[in-house]
Amino acid sequence: MKISARSRYATRILIDLAMNEKDAPIRTTAIAERTGISVQFIEQILKSLKQAELVASKRGAMGGYALNRRPEDISLGEIIRVMEGPLCLTDCCEDAELCMRSGICMTRDAWRRVSAIMASALDSLKLSDVISGVPPFCPNAPDDDEDADGFC
């Protein structure tokens, strides 16, 4: 599974808003200059983020965008769901009706399990963690290795 450019850019835009938010909303042109994303693509992404209430907008000469919630209250999982939909490796993970073989499929439970693990990991990683550079916890890191610190 690959994360789309829309999800990667949405995360980059939210990070930019979090890091540059002062007392006034931020214009799309300023976001574009700092992130390297075109204004047109930023506007498309911000529309989805606004509908999901992750950002708020203000119109007018002093208008722009700002986070609607604190960075520690926004997970990467939520961002990806807003931009792409459910965090499932296959369509049948979410809806068994989509596949006529789901009742006898030997791999469906495996895909569902991996999807749940992936969703849990993305939900546990907050925008504030990304900003501060905190690496994600890796529970399967070897215990006996001196260099292993529990992080991937």
Side-chain angles (χ1 to χ4, degrees):
M1 178 183 161
K2 290 185 180 181
I3 296 173
S4 72
R6 285 178 51 85
S7 291
R8 292 192 323 270
Y9 290 175
T11 304
R12 194 184 309 172
I13 290 165
L14 291 170
I15 288 169
D16 184 78
L17 290 174
M19 293 180 69
N20 294 292
E21 199 167 55
K22 303 294 183 241
D23 295 327
I26 301 171
R27 296 184 165 282
T28 55
T29 52
I31 298 169
E33 288 172 10
R34 289 189 295 263
T35 63
I37 305 168
S38 73
V39 170
Q40 294 83 359
F41 205 11
I42 289 171
E43 289 172 349
Q44 290 176 19
I45 291 168
L46 284 169
K47 182 178 179 183
S48 296
L49 295 174
K50 185 178 176 187
Q51 287 174 337
E53 298 181 353
L54 292 177
V55 299
S57 65
K58 182 179 177 185
R59 292 180 160 213
M62 299 302 290
Y65 291 87
L67 287 182
N68 207 27
R69 298 196 329 240
R70 300 176 319 161
E72 52 271 17
D73 295 331
I74 301 172
S75 74
L76 293 187
E78 183 176 10
I79 298 166
I80 294 169
R81 282 184 194 93
V82 166
M83 302 313 297
E84 299 185 33
L87 292 170
C88 297
L89 292 177
T90 64
D91 290 336
C92 70
C93 285
E94 185 182 22
D95 185 358
E97 300 287 321
L98 294 175
C99 178
M100 63 183 185
R101 296 186 45 82
S102 64
I104 60 167
C105 181
M106 296 179 72
T107 58
R108 182 170 183 259
D109 285 339
W111 304 143
R112 290 179 71 195
R113 184 174 178 201
V114 172
S115 294
I117 292 167
M118 176 182 62
S120 177
L122 288 168
D123 288 338
S124 70
L125 193 56
K126 307 298 181 184
L127 201 59
S128 58
D129 297 329
V130 177
I131 292 167
S132 66
V134 175
F137 181 69
C138 185
N140 295 326
D143 293 335
D144 55 333
D145 186 4
E146 289 181 21
D147 295 330
D149 56 7
F151 293 95
C152 301

